[in-house]
Amino acid sequence: MFTVIFYEKPGCTNNKKQKALLLEAGHQVQPENLLTTTWTKEKLRPFFGDLPVREWFNYSAPRVKSGDVNPEFLDENTALELMMADPLLIRRPLIQVGDVLTVGFNLEKINAWIGLKPEVPVNQDLETCPRTKAAMSH
């Protein structure tokens, strides 16, 4: 099993579920507060790998929902500057296992990478904020 450094927003419902899945699979989870971590471009950028800039963002963040920040039109440098100033913009969770870093919690990818319990339904959405989904259904 692995030690998983897990950058989260404390109190986030999905982050709690994600950590529980990792723990159930036997991994050690080291939670870190995404909002109070001192981010630099050098520390933050590797989590996003080769993903397009728009996939680096938390679309439930107030500044994205209000239209103040539009991830579709940002370059890498501007995106990182915005995220360092307002960590709520960062898609969650950021995960580090050894030297490997990633963003988001795609069940299929996490399972293939470090393993989860076999009975976990891979089509379950553990990334979209439940409050955002509830608001969209009204």
Side-chain angles (χ1 to χ4, degrees), residues 114-125:
I114 59 174
L116 295 171
K117 289 212 169 214
E119 61 273 8
V120 173
V122 293
N123 62 348
Q124 187 177 356
D125 180 4

Side-chain angles (χ1 to χ4, degrees), residues 36 130 136:
T36 60
M136 289 188 311

Side-chain angles (χ1 to χ4, degrees), residues 13-54:
T13 302
N14 276 341
N15 284 167
K16 286 180 187 174
K17 291 177 186 176
Q18 294 159 351
K19 286 188 303 185
L21 289 173
L22 292 167
L23 290 167
E24 286 171 26
H27 301 296
Q28 291 184 330
V29 177
Q30 180 183 327
E32 298 288 340
N33 188 329
L34 179 83
L35 305 179
T36 60
T37 297
T38 302
W39 294 108
T40 63
K41 290 179 187 177
E42 297 75 24
K43 185 174 180 179
L44 185 57
R45 175 61 183 92
F47 284 97
F48 305 120
D50 60 2
L51 289 174
V53 171
R54 70 181 175 277

Side-chain angles (χ1 to χ4, degrees), residues 57-125:
F57 281 83
N58 169 15
Y59 281 80
S60 298
R63 292 183 64 200
V64 174
K65 288 185 355 185
S66 74
D68 181 41
V69 172
N70 186 341
E72 298 294 324
F73 300 107
L74 296 175
D75 62 61
E76 183 174 301
N77 190 55
T78 304
L80 291 169
E81 291 285 342
L82 286 166
M83 290 176 174
M84 289 185 308
D86 183 0
L88 279 175
L89 295 170
I90 303 170
R91 181 176 164 196
R92 301 187 299 269
L94 298 179
I95 297 175
Q96 179 176 354
V97 176
D99 294 334
V100 180
L101 300 103
T102 191
V103 61
F105 203 87
N106 177 295
L107 285 167
E108 211 170 291
K109 289 179 183 175
I110 299 288
N111 189 39
W113 175 29
I114 59 174
L116 295 171
K117 289 212 169 214
E119 61 273 8
V120 173
V122 293
N123 62 348
Q124 187 177 356
D125 180 4

Side-chain angles (χ1 to χ4, degrees), residues 121-137:
V122 293
N123 62 348
Q124 187 177 356
D125 180 4
L126 287 179
E127 285 201 78
T128 308
C129 178
R131 286 185 284 180
T132 301
K133 284 191 274 192
M136 289 188 311
S137 66

